[in-house]
Structures are given as structure tokens and as C-alpha cells.
């Protein structure tokens, strides 16, 4: 999260007042951003489908706006692979390897929402999110697509994505790049996670929020 903070501070004209974290796991990153930019607790919104993680976030950060739902490009319910440990690797998607077979987890049904539906149903369709962190284990493309015409409510985003398919049917990083560029976003940061070409962290914003533009 330090890279996100530094990039927003050095490369954009944003003065963050609201943060949305999708696939928060534990709420800690949202809290880190809150503290760094002195955002009010009531302006922090976190989304987490894992039932146990959601309950713990409610205990740790009761002042946040916390939602027990998965984001995608559809509305309804879906099977969710909820890991007992390392809950942050849980996903709606099946994997291409034997990881789930060899890792303690349970398959549960969770609520799934498009981003635009979620915003409208929660009276947030006019809300501008200065910061948005997306870490959804193979579903970044679908999450972005699900915001529809409300995607520009998000002024900047920090996303994790894979270079190659880890999850079945996954859209990979190159496809996410094409989608975001078609929506008018500009990449202002990118780094391989652990310096290995498996996953990347990247930061995106709209041109009007880039300094000296």
C-alpha cells in the first residue's frame, strides 16, 4: 500500500476523501489508506465475500461500511471457495491446478453483485471514490466490467492481476489493460509481485487527475 500512497501523492492531484476496497480480506489495507490520507472512518467502504473474514472485519473495524458480497459482472449467487487459512486466496473461480484439492477450504454460496448495481442499491451512485483497491483472485476484469457506466466514479485504482491464467476462464493482465485503456484510464505504476512474472500490482487513474496534465 505504500506504493499506492506514494504514487497518488507524487503523480496525481487527488486529495483522497473516500476509499473503496474490493476483496479486502481483513480491512487492514483500507485502514492503512485511511490513516495515510486522514480519511474519515465513515468514508471507508470495504467489500468481502468470505463469511469468516467478513465477521472478523466487523469486529476489527465496526466504524467502516462493510459489505458481505462478491463483485463481478453479474448479480445473484455463486459458489465461493472459502479457504480456512490464507483467506485472501479464496475465489469464485475454479483453479487450473490442484491447489484447492490440497488446501483446506469449504465451498459456500455467496451473494454476487455488479458494481453498478451495488452502488445504486446502496445510494452510492453519485459517490466519487478517490481510492479503490481491487484484489479479487482472478476476477479483476469482471469486477471492472460490472461497474458499467459508473466506472468513472472511481478516480484511481490499485489492482492485482495475473500475467497468465491461474483460475479457469480468467482474463489476464493484458486483457485488463485493454479494458481500462478503452475506458479512458492511464496506468501510472506497475510492478511484478515479488519480482516474479506471475502477478502484477498496477495503479490507474483518469488523465485529469495526473499532475501537469
Amino acid at each position: 500500500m505504500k506504493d499506492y500512497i506514494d504514487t497518488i501523492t507524487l503523480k496525481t492531484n487527488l486529495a483522497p476523501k473516500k476509499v473503496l476496497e474490493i476483496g479486502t480480506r481483513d480491512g487492514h489495507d483500507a485502514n492503512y489508506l485511511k490513516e495515510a490520507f486522514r480519511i474519515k472512518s465513515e468514508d471507508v467502504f470495504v467489500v468481502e465475500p468470505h463469511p469468516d473474514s467478513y465477521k472478523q472485519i466487523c469486529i476489527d473495524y465496526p466504524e467502516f461500511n462493510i459489505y458481505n458480497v462478491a463483485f463481478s459482472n453479474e448479480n445473484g449467487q455463486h459458489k465461493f471457495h472459502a479457504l480456512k487459512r490464507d483467506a485472501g486466496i479464496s475465489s469464485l473461480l475454479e483453479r487450473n491446478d490442484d491447489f484447492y484439492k490440497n488446501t483446506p477450504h469449504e465451498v459456500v454460496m455467496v451473494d454476487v453483485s455488479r458494481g453498478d448495481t451495488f452502488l445504486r442499491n446502496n445510494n452510492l451512485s453519485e459517490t466519487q471514490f478517490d481510492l479503490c483497491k481491487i484484489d479479487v483472485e482472478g476476477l479483476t476484469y469482471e469486477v471492472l466490467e460490472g461497474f458499467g457506466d459508473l466506472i468513472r466514479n472511481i478516480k484511481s485504482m490499485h489492482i492485482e492481476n495475473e500475467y497468465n491464467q491461474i483460475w479457469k476462464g480468467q482474463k489476464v493482465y493484458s486483457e485488463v489493460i485493454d479494458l481500462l485503456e478503452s475506458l479512458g484510464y492511464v496506468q501510472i505504476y506497475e510492478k511484478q509481485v515479488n519480482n516474479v512474472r506471475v502477478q502484477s500490482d498496477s495503479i490507474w487513474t483518469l488523465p485529469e487527475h495526473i499532475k501537469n496534465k
Side-chain angles (χ1 to χ4, degrees), residues 9-24:
T9 302
L10 296 173
K11 294 188 177 182
T12 79
N13 55 25
L14 293 171
K17 294 180 174 62
K18 292 187 186 293
V19 57
L20 170 64
E21 186 176 11
I22 304 167
T24 184

Side-chain angles (χ1 to χ4, degrees), residues 81-95:
H81 299 271
L83 272 66
K84 300 292 186 180
R85 299 178 181 177
D86 297 323
I89 312 175
S90 304
S91 178
L92 295 178
L93 298 178
E94 301 282 350
R95 288 180 62 114

Side-chain angles (χ1 to χ4, degrees), residues 49 51 68-81 92 107-114 139:
N68 189 202
V69 63
F71 274 21
S72 187
N73 57 358
E74 59 183 19
N75 298 310
Q77 288 197 319
H78 199 282
K79 290 180 180 179
F80 181 74
H81 299 271
L92 295 178
V107 178
V108 298
M109 296 299 294
V110 299
D111 292 329
V112 178
S113 177
R114 290 176 55 90
L139 277 167

Side-chain angles (χ1 to χ4, degrees), residues 94-102 165-168:
E94 301 282 350
R95 288 180 62 114
N96 282 325
D97 55 22
D98 293 330
F99 180 79
Y100 287 146
K101 293 180 181 178
N102 301 320
Q165 280 194 359
I166 293 177
W167 288 270
K168 292 182 179 179

Side-chain angles (χ1 to χ4, degrees), residues 164-207:
N164 300 296
Q165 280 194 359
I166 293 177
W167 288 270
K168 292 182 179 179
Q170 173 186 9
K171 300 280 190 181
V172 296
Y173 184 48
S174 60
E175 295 171 286
V176 171
I177 289 175
D178 289 343
L179 175 61
L180 284 171
E181 289 181 345
S182 75
L183 295 169
Y185 285 85
V186 177
Q187 181 174 277
I188 56 175
Y189 172 92
E190 191 268 337
K191 182 180 180 180
Q192 294 178 12
V193 177
N194 298 322
N195 296 314
V196 178
R197 192 173 172 79
V198 176
Q199 290 180 320
S200 74
D201 286 332
S202 60
I203 298 169
W204 299 75
T205 192
L206 295 164

Side-chain angles (χ1 to χ4, degrees), residues 44-55:
V44 177
F45 298 78
V46 296
V47 174
E48 175 53 53
H50 194 300
D52 295 337
S53 297
Y54 167 77
K55 292 173 186 176

